[in-house]
Amino acid sequence: MSPAPARLAWLDALRGPAALAVTMHHAGWTFIPAVWAEVDRRIDLGTWGVFVFFLVSGYIIPASLERRGDLRAFWTGRAFRLLPLLLAACGLALVLALAGVFPLEPTLGERPLPVVALGNVTMLQELVNLPAVVNVTWTLSYEMAFYLMSVALFATRQAHRSAGIAIALALPAVPLGLLMPGATIGGRADLAAVLFCLAVVAAIAVTVLGHGRTRTIAATAGGLLGLALVVLGSRAGTWQGVIILATMFAGTAVYRAEQGTISWRTAAVAVAVVLGCGIPAKDDPAWATAIVLAYGAFALAFALRRRAFPGWLTRLGVISFSLYLLHPILLHVIPHLALYFLALIPLSLLTYHLIEAPAQRLGKRLILRATERR
């Protein structure tokens, strides 16, 4: 495994504002709904933030995969990056719900607890129609689908085709969205939800533990499952769900062009097609403005990537996952806009240093040990 490169400051400079945009979106509707309605009528800041995150993931995940060159190391790194804080946030939400402070999604009590837990721990709940313990984790379901597809492409040596895949996803998204406006995996399909989640877990496990052809078959099966879940299970509708996936591959196309694997013209065409197909995916001018500005922010930060960014901005990006996961909980604990933001950043710093950073260090040690034993 090659040594990790210096942290990409421009990506952190994007993550921080993206996380704050999502927190402001939810805080605005909670504390100043009349004012925020006027803002939201013009631009959906929450959508802007999550699309910036999707573009960033599209750029960095393949880079992480190829830097490690090891599927076991990739999945280990992802697990120790995401699961510790996710479990802590879900646990805190449940404790506060029992105390009557935090309102859980009403449908959560209508589904079997083990099924809900499985969906949330595998981060697939959004795509198998299960309620989330923390509502913002819906984006992690699309991230998981992207990981599965990226691993499949890496295992089959097709990772260089990201621009074509972005276009191949975006163009059918329009007719698919018109034909399938809602999720096919709907209702209370507990058995289907469990089977899909377990199938994904099995595909990852065999990818991590298997070798040769067995590993390739498992990785490919995982990628196909990820794609199928987005097409069949996107609760916002197939059009939006597939555009989210295509957006991540558009981010990958930019990475490929930077690395010289594809031409800048090819990457630009892929980005333009995804954006063109994505703008009408929701009948809301605020959606269109948000995704256009998200792509614009990503392009601007990429253009400035060799310049120095303020330290406070990159540090904000480092704690962006904590900001993102904890803010919906804090909204109900501190019912005051100014105090909410005063508490959110220190709390996120604390959880980053107590949970995220130690877990990531542990994951890196385990990866290193596994590499040395080979």
Side-chain angles (χ1 to χ4, degrees):
M1 184 174 65
S2 60
R7 191 170 185 90
L8 296 171
W10 71 276
L11 294 176
D12 282 329
L14 276 171
R15 287 188 183 105
L20 283 183
V22 177
T23 67
M24 189 65 235
H25 175 77
H26 293 131
W29 280 114
T30 300
F31 297 120
I32 48 172
V35 174
W36 201 253
E38 292 301 310
V39 175
D40 201 62
R41 190 164 58 86
R42 294 167 175 82
I43 176 173
D44 185 336
L45 271 185
T47 295
W48 179 85
V50 297
F51 266 82
V52 169
F53 276 126
F54 290 140
L55 285 163
V56 168
S57 289
Y59 179 93
I60 198 62
I61 292 302
S64 174
L65 248 175
E66 289 157 23
R67 174 173 58 83
R68 290 190 170 110
D70 182 344
L71 296 180
R72 182 182 300 178
F74 171 77
W75 281 118
T76 302
R78 286 291 88 194
F80 281 89
R81 171 72 178 90
L82 300 175
L83 283 177
L85 186 64
L86 175 64
L87 293 174
C90 289
L92 177 61
L94 292 172
V95 169
L96 292 175
L98 288 173
V101 177
F102 181 73
L104 295 173
E105 186 175 331
T107 59
L108 196 145
E110 299 172 4
R111 308 293 290 275
L113 182 58
V115 177
V116 173
L118 178 63
N120 280 264
V121 170
T122 57
M123 295 178 284
L124 293 170
Q125 75 287 339
E126 176 70 13
L127 301 178
V128 293
N129 196 40
L130 289 171
V133 176
V134 180
N135 61 353
V136 294
T137 57
W138 68 269
T139 60
L140 298 182
S141 295
Y142 292 98
E143 295 273 358
M144 178 59 76
F146 178 67
Y147 299 161
L148 290 164
M149 291 185 67
S150 296
V151 165
L153 292 169
F154 180 84
T156 55
R157 304 182 188 277
Q158 300 298 314
H160 60 286
R161 301 188 185 278
S162 51
I165 291 168
I167 295 171
L169 287 169
L171 291 176
V174 181
L176 278 174
L178 295 174
L179 292 170
M180 302 166 62
T184 302
I185 305 172
R188 297 185 182 181
D190 294 332
L191 180 59
V194 169
L195 290 176
F196 275 121
C197 290
L198 291 180
V200 168
V201 171
I204 294 172
V206 177
T207 301
V208 168
L209 300 174
H211 300 279
R213 185 177 178 81
T214 301
R215 170 177 284 185
T216 302
I217 292 172
T220 303
L224 292 173
L225 271 169
L227 176 60
L229 285 172
V230 171
V231 172
L232 300 175
S234 296
R235 282 199 271 188
T238 301
W239 193 344
Q240 291 180 41
V242 176
I243 285 298
I244 287 171
L245 199 55
T247 291
M248 287 189 268
F249 279 105
T252 307
V254 173
Y255 168 74
R256 298 286 173 218
E258 184 187 28
Q259 297 300 306
T261 309
I262 63 174
S263 69
W264 279 110
R265 180 179 179 180
T266 301
V269 169
V271 170
V273 169
V274 174
L275 187 56
C277 292
I279 287 172
K282 186 176 181 180
D283 186 18
D284 180 2
W287 158 276
T289 305
I291 64 170
V292 168
L293 291 179
Y295 275 70
F298 182 81
L300 177 61
F302 181 81
L304 300 173
R305 66 192 182 282
R306 293 187 177 89
R307 299 194 179 187
F309 288 86
W312 64 267
L313 186 59
T314 56
R315 284 193 292 272
L316 196 64
V318 170
I319 64 168
S320 59
F321 191 46
S322 282
L323 286 170
Y324 185 76
L325 276 190
L326 296 178
H327 83 270
I329 302 172
L330 201 62
L331 276 175
H332 298 278
V333 177
I334 303 180
H336 187 280
L337 182 60
L339 292 177
Y340 161 76
F341 277 108
L342 285 174
L344 179 59
I345 291 177
L347 176 62
S348 298
L349 281 166
L350 185 65
T351 55
Y352 174 78
H353 287 292
L354 293 181
I355 300 174
E356 288 192 76
Q360 290 176 48
R361 288 194 294 268
L362 176 59
K364 288 175 182 177
R365 286 199 296 271
L366 293 175
I367 292 168
L368 183 59
R369 289 175 189 172
T371 304
E372 289 173 347
R373 284 197 296 266
R374 293 177 193 174

